[in-house]
Amino acid sequence: MHPSHSSSAAELSQQLVVFSLGEEEYALPIEQVQEIIRFTEPRAVASADPAIRGVISLRGKIVPVCDLATRLGLARERTANAKIVIVETRGGVGGVIVDDVDEVLTVSASQLDGVPGAGAACIEAIARIDDRLVVLLNPDGFFTGLDLAAAA
């Protein structure tokens, strides 16, 4: 018999892929990150959403690419070591442009704080790591209104 309400250390901590946009640090849950690729300019497609930069072909699949800086309302120049993080969302697979990928960190639930009144569908929490504040993002919010399954 397994107790129905057990909690293990694994459930209380999660791994985050930490990346940068300018001076700020952001993160995504590692289980939603499929891979990280070198930045290639997406092929432009008509989109009502200015954050959707276009599409790339990834092993024969068409993947929509979101410019994270635009999605978060930041004016940014692309850096030389920009990457595209390929993420899995509830709606399918998409790419997110970031300046650089820094590290993978494990955080405990006690290091995560909610974001009162943030109002952004793509912000999940703030992770406190020593003296750093890392914004934990929800990739499901990046492609709101896009049918990623249709794009694939």
Side-chain angles (χ1 to χ4, degrees):
M1 290 287 289
H2 293 295
S4 58
H5 297 291
S6 68
S7 64
S8 68
E11 289 174 57
L12 298 175
S13 66
Q14 68 181 114
Q15 286 195 301
L16 307 178
V17 176
V18 178
F19 53 88
S20 56
L21 272 179
E23 300 298 308
E24 303 299 323
E25 290 185 300
Y26 297 88
L28 287 164
I30 198 166
E31 62 273 5
Q32 287 185 276
V33 175
Q34 277 193 355
E35 63 183 294
I36 297 157
I37 60 174
R38 202 166 38 86
F39 176 78
T40 54
E41 192 63 48
R43 170 77 52 88
V45 292
S47 172
D49 185 342
I52 301 301
R53 288 294 304 273
V55 296
I56 58 171
S57 175
L58 187 66
R59 287 186 293 285
K61 281 199 158 143
I62 299 300
V63 176
V65 175
C66 170
D67 189 324
L68 187 58
T70 303
R71 169 65 73 231
L72 297 174
L74 309 171
R76 298 271 320 126
E77 290 295 315
R78 184 106 38 252
T79 63
N81 42 359
K83 306 282 189 300
I84 298 178
V85 180
I86 305 299
V87 294
E88 194 151 336
T89 72
R90 279 195 299 267
V93 175
V96 183
I97 302 170
V98 304
D99 284 354
D100 204 359
V101 175
D102 301 327
E103 61 186 320
V104 174
L105 285 176
T106 301
V107 296
S108 66
S110 65
Q111 291 175 286
L112 296 175
D113 289 326
V115 186
C122 54
I123 297 180
E124 187 79 27
I126 303 289
R128 284 174 285 112
I129 301 151
D130 300 325
D131 59 348
R132 298 156 59 194
L133 292 179
V134 177
V135 179
L136 176 58
L137 299 171
N138 173 0
D140 293 332
F142 297 157
F143 302 98
T144 306
L146 270 194
D147 185 355
L148 298 186

